[in-house]
Amino acid sequence: MTRPEPPAKMHRTWRAGRFLLAVSSLFAVLALAAVVWLGVDLHAFRRAAGQLQAETVPWTLERQRLGRNLEQLRLEGQRVLMASSPASRQDALFLVHVLSAQPGMADDPRTASLAAEVEGFLQRIGSPAAPADIQAWEALSSRLRLMADDLSVEGGKRMSHELAHLSNEIDEASYKLFFNLLLVAGFVVVFLRIVQRYLIRPLQRIQRVLSSLDARLPAPAFPPGPMAEIRAVEDAIVRFHATLRENDEVRLRLERLATTDGLTGLFNRHHFMGLAADEMARAARYGRPITVAIADLDHFKQINDTLGHAAGDHVLRTFAGLLGETLRQTDRVCRYGGEEFAFVFPETTPEEALQLAERLRARLLDNPLVLPDGRRLEVTFSMGLTDGSGCDLEESLARADLGLYEAKRSGRNRSVITQRPDLG
């Protein structure tokens, strides 16, 4: 028997390793691009934070310090005007000079100019101060206060601007980080879906097919898939199923050869003896009736001698077919040897078995055998029957054979029951 070829592969397939490598490489490229994209913002964030720490914070602190110095300069100028003695006035002028000479004050042109103007004005006025000098000082004091406020506002504005810029960088980095997380989550979901659809589900389907693989069932059919390894396993399963079916057919043929007669298809003698022994043991165990019989075709040697062995074989096959149509499913029959047939009738008394034999005889007489050349041939048989209850098989067959001998001696084409000696 030729093994069926697996179905041709009509769908493009991919090797699982290459496919997963391609998916992983695509994700790696996208992830690298997203990381670089995020890295740009992180670099900008570090640069903005560095600038805030190295420039903006010191500059703002310097603005605040200048503002405090200007306020202190204004207060000391007030002390100069309000000094009650030359000594206290001289101390106030000294502090005004020290404040005006501060390095930070000199670095800013606006504060340096205003401080020099205040110091010069205070040194020029007399003590006590004239009303015009007091009015002039009020103007200078107002300018000092405004300058101090302006410096504080400048520091606050720059700090706010830098902090806003840093916050924007943090927001953009957060968005890109969130995008990266979504990308990773999306890849994981897609990857798991791919693995589930193209690997796990096919493997589960293969497991179900293997667990129920049976040579008596049709060959398993698998939907086409893209994974070459999965397709290879599925094709191997189909070929394995074909091998199982082939082996099962061989096993059945060997079993038939071992248990049946090659000509008639009935059980052979060896197999029949085992089945009959089991039936008789069961009948003895439960006290049930059972009948054993042997039948022989009448004048069969004459048929072989006059019509040939082919005709004789045809008669045997036809008679075996008639037995299969007439007997019950529980009855056991075999070709005992040549034209002899042995029977076991479970759950049957010899009288009931005799009725079955007569029914078979009537059917054989009503349906003459037709030879292959068209000739009609009347065939009869003789049978011996005996009660097999409580006896072994060999003893029962021997008594049935005595009944067959008596049927032959009495003129053939009849059935004779041989009584057991203990019942006779």
Side-chain angles (χ1 to χ4, degrees), residues 304-356:
N304 275 339
D305 293 340
T306 57
L307 300 178
H309 287 283
D313 291 346
H314 180 73
V315 170
L316 290 173
R317 284 193 296 269
T318 305
F319 182 68
L322 187 62
L323 289 176
E325 296 173 0
T326 306
L327 298 182
R328 302 164 300 183
Q329 289 185 350
T330 56
D331 299 332
R332 306 298 183 187
V333 59
C334 78
R335 185 184 178 190
Y336 199 62
E339 69 275 18
E340 282 189 333
F341 298 85
F343 302 81
V344 169
F345 302 101
E347 300 289 333
T348 307
T349 63
E351 291 73 17
E352 293 171 338
L354 181 62
Q355 295 179 6
L356 287 174

Side-chain angles (χ1 to χ4, degrees), residues 115-133:
E117 183 179 354
V118 168
E119 183 180 6
F121 171 78
L122 292 175
Q123 289 178 351
R124 288 195 307 269
I125 63 175
S127 180
D133 294 332

Side-chain angles (χ1 to χ4, degrees), residues 3 10 56 131 173 217 219 283 301 407 416 419:
R3 186 176 298 178
M10 302 299 294
T56 305
L217 299 177
K301 185 176 183 301
V416 174
Q419 297 294 333

